[in-house]
Amino acid sequence: MEEYSQEDWGNHSQDLHGYPTDQELDEIPVTKRTLKIKQESSEEAQKRDIMQNIVQILESVQLKWELFQSWTDFSRLHLSNKLAIFGIGYNTRWKEDIRYHYAEISSQVPLGKRLREYFNSEKPEGRIIMTRVQKMNWKNVYYKFLEITISEARCLELHMEIDWIPIAHSKPTGGNIVQYLLPGGIPKSPGLYAIGYEECIERPPSPHLERHSLDPGKEGRVDLESLSAQASLQVETEPTRIIYCYLGIAEVRTLQQCLFLHFQANTKTFSKDWVGINGFLSQNCIVDPGVSPKSIYIKFVEVERDFLSAGSLVECLEKAIGYPLKFNN
């Protein structure tokens, strides 16, 4: 195993993370440098969020850590050609608890090959791990994995990498009925799709406001009407959160056909007896005067038909998002 000096390790670490040198920073104008830092911060935050989500999935299925002994372990047949969610962990001489170093969904490269890269000192990923063990930063290195099907890998991609598309609606026609306006470009192919709705959570007024309302100070009497109006303005709204409520599998029909049946057909054949996702979407089309319907969103990903029947797709998505899908029961 090759040893690194402190200077070499610092340079090597800098290269791995793509950080610019001091000289390069001096050559970048301040405005461009600020934009670059913001862009890198946003990308790093996104990567951190994805990794945290993967860790939550691994923890939710309660897998045991396996001690890494030799990279040849990953040449074993049962790891050679499988797709999986995997995590790399470590402990120290001072703390036996195993902590995550990295987590990933290996959806394109077989698990065995990907793990060998993390435990091979000739690869950038493996060099970091082996160096930390050599320098006694870490005591032991561990790994855990959960095998997944191609369809489950695509389902996780749908959740983590595909953006929500808002569904527009028409102005009320025929009294108090609105119609959904599906966007163009929905594939005429098999795949997975999700339907969600927007949830806005209101928080109570801040403690600062409450203290102010109870402490008139030197002003003497308090104008209760003024405070009431101020309190109503101080109610803070959380950022938009989209709640998954349905995962659809377009296996017999195409993605376009499935979504059309959900959003277009139900407004024409509405029945109060409908239940499930179609009932929910139909009820949302009935609005009171001056009230907008609930904001609805979709996302979809193409998957080859032969792969759609494998795996437990609803449970996979529910583990990833951390709550049950309301209309998949």
Side-chain angles (χ1 to χ4, degrees), residues 287-329:
V287 296
D288 295 326
V291 179
S292 298
K294 190 184 293 288
S295 297
I296 305 295
Y297 296 78
I298 62 171
K299 57 166 64 178
F300 49 80
V301 64
E302 297 178 73
V303 184
E304 290 186 34
R305 183 172 281 107
D306 293 342
F307 300 135
L308 283 170
S309 60
S312 303
L313 297 174
V314 171
E315 293 178 1
C316 173
L317 182 58
E318 287 180 337
K319 284 292 185 182
I321 62 180
Y323 55 86
L325 295 165
K326 186 175 182 179
F327 300 114
N328 277 101
N329 297 328

Side-chain angles (χ1 to χ4, degrees), residues 220-238:
R221 290 169 34 175
V222 181
D223 186 343
L224 294 179
E225 291 184 2
S226 174
L227 281 176
S228 177
Q230 186 180 1
S232 64
L233 292 174
Q234 287 288 332
V235 173
E236 300 173 14
T237 303
E238 294 282 356

Side-chain angles (χ1 to χ4, degrees), residues 10-76:
N11 293 335
H12 173 70
S13 178
Q14 190 177 62
D15 293 340
L16 280 176
H17 291 84
Y19 295 141
T21 62
D22 292 339
Q23 182 178 357
E24 289 173 331
L25 281 174
D26 291 337
E27 295 172 355
I28 301 174
V30 174
T31 53
K32 290 185 177 180
R33 189 188 310 172
T34 303
L35 290 173
K36 184 174 182 180
I37 291 172
K38 286 183 178 179
Q39 183 179 5
E40 289 177 349
S41 299
S42 176
E43 291 174 355
E44 288 299 318
Q46 186 177 10
K47 290 179 181 178
R48 187 168 57 250
D49 290 343
I50 291 176
M51 179 174 157
Q52 185 176 6
N53 201 334
I54 297 172
V55 168
Q56 289 173 351
I57 297 172
L58 289 171
E59 289 299 297
S60 68
V61 292
Q62 299 178 344
L63 301 168
K64 292 184 178 180
W65 289 104
E66 296 190 38
L67 175 65
F68 165 69
Q69 295 178 339
S70 169
W71 69 270
T72 55
D73 292 344
F74 306 131
S75 300
R76 291 176 294 176

Side-chain angles (χ1 to χ4, degrees), residues 88-244:
I88 305 293
Y90 68 93
N91 62 6
T92 68
R93 292 165 297 116
W94 303 99
K95 190 174 181 180
E96 285 293 331
D97 294 344
I98 302 173
R99 286 149 280 177
Y100 280 89
H101 165 63
Y102 185 73
E104 179 183 302
I105 300 174
S106 183
S107 59
Q108 304 293 331
V109 181
L111 174 64
K113 181 178 180 181
R114 196 72 185 103
L115 283 175
R116 283 198 297 274
E117 292 176 349
Y118 270 89
F119 290 93
N120 186 347
S121 61
E122 296 181 358
K123 300 289 184 178
E125 300 94 332
R127 197 173 299 135
I128 293 175
I129 292 176
M130 297 308 172
T131 300
R132 290 181 180 176
V133 172
Q134 282 183 335
K135 292 180 177 294
M136 299 179 71
N137 303 130
W138 296 352
K139 178 184 176 183
N140 292 314
V141 184
Y142 301 82
Y143 66 95
K144 62 166 63 175
F145 66 91
L146 173 67
E147 183 182 353
I148 57 175
T149 65
I150 291 176
S151 58
E152 288 170 341
R154 297 294 277 171
C155 182
L156 293 172
E157 177 187 338
L158 175 72
H159 169 52
M160 297 183 187
E161 300 181 21
I162 306 297
D163 293 331
W164 287 104
I165 301 171
I167 301 299
H169 54 82
S170 67
K171 293 182 178 180
T173 58
N176 60 344
I177 303 294
V178 300
Q179 290 187 340
Y180 297 109
L181 304 175
L182 281 174
I186 300 175
K188 298 178 181 180
S189 56
L192 300 171
Y193 62 94
I195 299 175
Y197 61 89
E198 183 177 317
E199 179 186 69
C200 291
I201 304 173
E202 288 189 346
R203 293 189 298 185
S206 64
H208 172 73
L209 176 66
E210 294 176 1
R211 288 194 301 268
H212 179 75
S213 63
L214 294 174
D215 183 14
K218 296 181 180 179
E219 298 296 328
R221 290 169 34 175
V222 181
D223 186 343
L224 294 179
E225 291 184 2
S226 174
L227 281 176
S228 177
Q230 186 180 1
S232 64
L233 292 174
Q234 287 288 332
V235 173
E236 300 173 14
T237 303
E238 294 282 356
T240 299
R241 183 190 178 203
I242 301 174
I243 304 296
Y244 285 87

Side-chain angles (χ1 to χ4, degrees), residues 266 270-285 327:
N266 60 31
F270 173 72
S271 170
K272 291 183 178 180
D273 297 328
W274 277 17
V275 295
I277 185 63
N278 286 349
F280 167 73
L281 293 173
S282 295
Q283 290 282 358
N284 192 51
C285 289
F327 300 114

